[in-house]
């Protein structure tokens, strides 16, 4: 079938890339550096949100200003880089991407200069008409503005877009450009929170693509 919205934007971390355990380990390294508590994967999925500084502040029980977040973010990414080679794609990522009948692109809030060669390493570059990551030295902010720039570079109207991601922030970004979102339960956010957000929810990427193709 031809979808009403013919362009699909994929999220990377926690969606196409199955890196939840590494993210939790890296987050705990950041927390440990300031004497904070460790979180489990389930706790992370319940509490994680953007801006990430707000999530850190909640867990640490104190305000996290820009300087403090910058230091924590550096520790997180140092640990993340060390473990990245242990991560695999979601089990049905390839099948799901192949099932989409329209154009596809990738938008991540991970650093662009690291994202692009990593996507190439997994053999996915040819799947996407554009790959964009974060072009800044510190991350953690919301996705909406990055999505607007991504679509502007593509020349794609937001009303023609479905975004598949694993966070409520992904859905908020899609709505902000007039698009739709399908939320995937296999990533950084627990299913209860995703379903409460009021968007279509899927337990597999294959089902997410099926839902995306039916959205008006």
């Amino acid at each position: 079938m031809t979808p009403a919205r013919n362009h699909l934007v994929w999220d990377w971390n926690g969606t196409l890339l199955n890196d939840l355990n590494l993210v939790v380990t890296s987050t705990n390294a950041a927390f440990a550096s300031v004497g904070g508590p460790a979180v489990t994967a389930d706790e992370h999925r319940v509490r994680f949100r953007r801006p990430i500084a707000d999530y850190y502040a909640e867990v640490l029980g104190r305000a996290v200003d820009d300087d403090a977040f910058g230091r924590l973010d550096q520790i997180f990414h140092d640990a993340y880089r060390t473990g990245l080679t242990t991560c695999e794609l979601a089990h049905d990522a390839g099948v799901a991407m192949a099932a989409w009948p329209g154009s596809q692109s990738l938008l991540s809030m991970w650093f662009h200069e690291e994202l692009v060669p990593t996507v190439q390493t997994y053999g996915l570059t040819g799947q996407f008409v554009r790959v964009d990551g974060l072009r800044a030295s510190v991350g953690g902010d919301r996705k909406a503005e990055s999505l607007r720039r991504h679509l502007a570079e593509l020349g794609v109207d937001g009303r023609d877009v479905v975004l598949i991601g694993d966070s409520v922030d992904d859905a908020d970004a899609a709505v902000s450009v007039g698009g739709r979102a399908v939320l995937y339960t296999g990533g950084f956010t627990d299913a209860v929170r995703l379903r409460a957000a009021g968007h279509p929810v899927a337990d597999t990427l294959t089902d997410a693509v099926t839902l995306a193709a039916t959205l008006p």
Side-chain angles (χ1 to χ4, degrees):
M1 67 179 291
T2 301
R5 296 169 184 264
N6 57 23
H7 185 77
L8 177 59
V9 177
W10 287 98
D11 175 54
W12 178 244
N13 302 98
T15 303
L16 289 175
L17 185 66
N18 182 14
D19 59 349
L20 172 63
N21 289 336
L22 176 58
V23 165
V24 173
T25 298
S26 303
T27 299
N28 284 333
F31 290 160
S33 73
V34 291
V39 295
T40 65
D42 285 344
E43 289 169 339
H44 182 86
R45 281 164 51 82
V46 168
R47 302 173 77 174
F48 177 79
R49 65 186 185 278
R50 289 181 178 273
I52 297 174
D54 291 352
Y55 166 51
Y56 284 6
E58 178 186 314
V59 174
L60 296 173
R62 57 182 180 272
V64 175
D65 62 19
D66 289 346
D67 289 342
F69 180 74
R71 291 190 294 271
L72 292 168
D73 192 58
Q74 182 67 54
I75 292 165
F76 169 91
H77 281 101
D78 286 347
Y80 184 88
R81 292 180 188 103
T82 299
L84 182 58
T85 57
T86 66
C87 294
E88 298 180 348
L89 296 176
H91 71 92
D92 61 342
V95 173
M97 285 184 284
W100 178 253
S103 57
Q104 304 177 62
S105 61
L106 177 65
L107 176 63
S108 173
M109 298 302 284
W110 187 35
F111 300 121
H112 183 78
E113 66 273 14
E114 298 181 63
L115 172 70
V116 171
T118 300
V119 171
Q120 187 171 11
T121 297
Y122 286 97
L124 300 181
T125 304
Q127 297 278 357
F128 307 116
V129 294
R130 186 176 180 89
V131 174
D132 278 320
L134 182 69
R135 289 173 170 84
S137 58
V138 177
D141 210 346
R142 297 186 186 276
K143 199 169 197 170
E145 183 56 37
S146 293
L147 180 59
R148 281 191 284 273
R149 288 194 297 267
H150 180 71
L151 297 181
E153 291 292 337
L154 283 167
V156 171
D157 191 309
R159 292 168 294 184
D160 294 328
V161 168
V162 181
L163 190 154
I164 294 178
D166 66 318
S167 74
V168 176
D169 184 64
D170 287 316
D172 290 343
V175 170
S176 76
V177 298
R180 297 289 303 274
V182 177
L183 299 178
Y184 167 59
T185 64
F188 298 165
T189 311
D190 75 303
V192 172
R193 287 175 62 201
L194 294 180
R195 292 192 173 96
H199 300 274
V201 174
D203 294 329
T204 68
L205 295 182
T206 313
D207 287 346
V209 168
T210 299
L211 282 172
T214 65
L215 291 177

